[in-house]
Amino acid sequence: MTFHIITIFPEIIRPYFSKGVIGMGREKGLFDLKIYNLREFTTDKHRKVDDTPYGGGPGMVMKVEPIFNCIQAIKDSLAKKEKSLVILTSARGKVFNQKKAKKLVDKYQHLIFICGRYEGVDQRVAEFVADKEFSIGKYVLSGGELAALVMTDVCARLIEGVLGNEESLISESYNQEEFDYPVYTKPEQFKNWLVPKVLLGGNHGEIKKWRDKHRVQKN
């Protein structure tokens, strides 16, 4: 799996993929990451990626040409048999979730993320360039980089070997019909806050009953 992220701020993306299980997964070669500076795909001397909106209105709109040029360059570099999907991060897109992530990881070898900025992206990108529009929630971000990072993180965790303990993936909250149970660690007592006694006794049957009882149903 290769994640391709198109942005005008590459420096936002790089640090995230250098730490934690995601960073280790990349170092092991379990997935690849390619970051593209959108300004490198402009055709004017000022490397302009945005312009004023037709019909008037506040702010600037990201231009279709450099985005199209970048996507075309990426697709031209891919092997013909490899499947790719172009995703536009968008507040009006369908909300991304664990099931969608699993389908993407199972079906595609390349996920290409377009990170929007300013007042939005020229509508022709959504209509003619992107395959899907995804949102990570019903709120507005300053840019699509955070959304792209969230989605790549969710997908990367589903790649075999990225998580050190595969049981962690199986038991994670959004892979089940319920959220996970509460967890505790040392110390046994902090201030007047105690760990439930049943978790200290070593009776695995009782512990399982307690955990099942305290799982929270999904909305």
Side-chain angles (χ1 to χ4, degrees):
M1 167 70 75
T2 300
F3 300 106
H4 306 259
I5 300 181
I6 302 168
T7 174
I8 60 172
F9 295 119
E11 62 274 15
I12 292 177
I13 305 297
R14 291 192 185 97
Y16 189 81
F17 288 90
S18 64
K19 304 293 182 183
V21 293
I22 301 301
M24 288 188 287
R26 187 187 178 196
E27 284 183 7
K28 292 176 183 176
L30 299 175
F31 68 88
D32 196 7
L33 170 72
K34 295 186 178 181
I35 306 169
Y36 305 85
N37 186 337
L38 187 61
R39 296 189 188 280
E40 295 178 2
F41 296 88
T42 56
T43 56
D44 67 298
K45 65 179 181 179
H46 300 295
R47 305 176 79 192
K48 195 172 183 181
V49 296
D50 62 315
D51 213 325
T52 54
Y54 281 118
M60 304 291 278
V61 176
M62 292 188 73
K63 294 162 62 70
V64 63
E65 297 102 322
I67 294 174
F68 175 84
N69 292 341
C70 184
I71 295 294
Q72 199 63 48
I74 294 171
K75 288 188 173 183
D76 288 345
S77 71
L78 305 182
K80 290 184 178 180
K81 292 183 179 180
E82 294 180 329
K83 292 184 177 180
S84 64
L85 187 78
V86 179
I87 298 168
L88 174 63
T89 61
S90 169
R92 66 185 178 190
K94 291 184 178 180
V95 177
F96 195 72
N97 59 33
Q98 193 80 2
K99 287 184 178 180
K100 288 184 174 67
K102 184 70 168 63
K103 288 180 180 178
L104 296 184
V105 172
D106 289 344
K107 186 173 182 179
Y108 299 99
Q109 288 79 50
H110 298 269
L111 296 180
I112 305 168
F113 294 90
I114 303 168
C115 300
R117 278 270 160 181
Y118 308 120
E119 285 298 313
V121 179
D122 189 304
Q123 178 61 21
R124 288 167 290 188
V125 173
E127 291 183 7
F128 304 111
V129 181
D131 300 307
K132 296 281 186 181
E133 285 186 81
F134 282 134
S135 162
I136 60 168
K138 295 181 179 180
Y139 44 81
V140 179
L141 297 169
S142 298
E145 286 79 12
L146 280 174
L149 286 173
V150 167
M151 288 186 272
T152 52
D153 186 295
V154 175
C155 290
R157 292 170 62 85
L158 295 172
I159 297 171
E160 185 176 354
V162 170
L163 295 185
N165 184 348
E166 294 302 317
E167 289 185 7
S168 296
L169 181 59
I170 296 170
S171 64
E172 281 185 332
S173 299
Y174 279 99
N175 287 325
Q176 303 187 45
E177 293 303 316
E178 300 168 313
F179 288 118
D180 217 341
Y181 46 77
V183 293
Y184 299 84
T185 188
K186 299 177 180 65
E188 182 180 328
Q189 178 175 345
F190 179 70
K191 296 185 181 294
N192 292 321
W193 309 330
L194 301 175
V195 175
K197 286 185 178 180
V198 66
L199 301 178
L200 307 174
N203 186 324
H204 296 294
E206 291 301 313
I207 290 172
K208 185 179 185 304
K209 287 180 183 178
W210 183 91
R211 287 176 170 173
D212 289 343
K213 180 180 178 181
H214 288 81
R215 288 182 188 273
V216 178
Q217 292 287 336
K218 289 184 180 179
N219 294 328

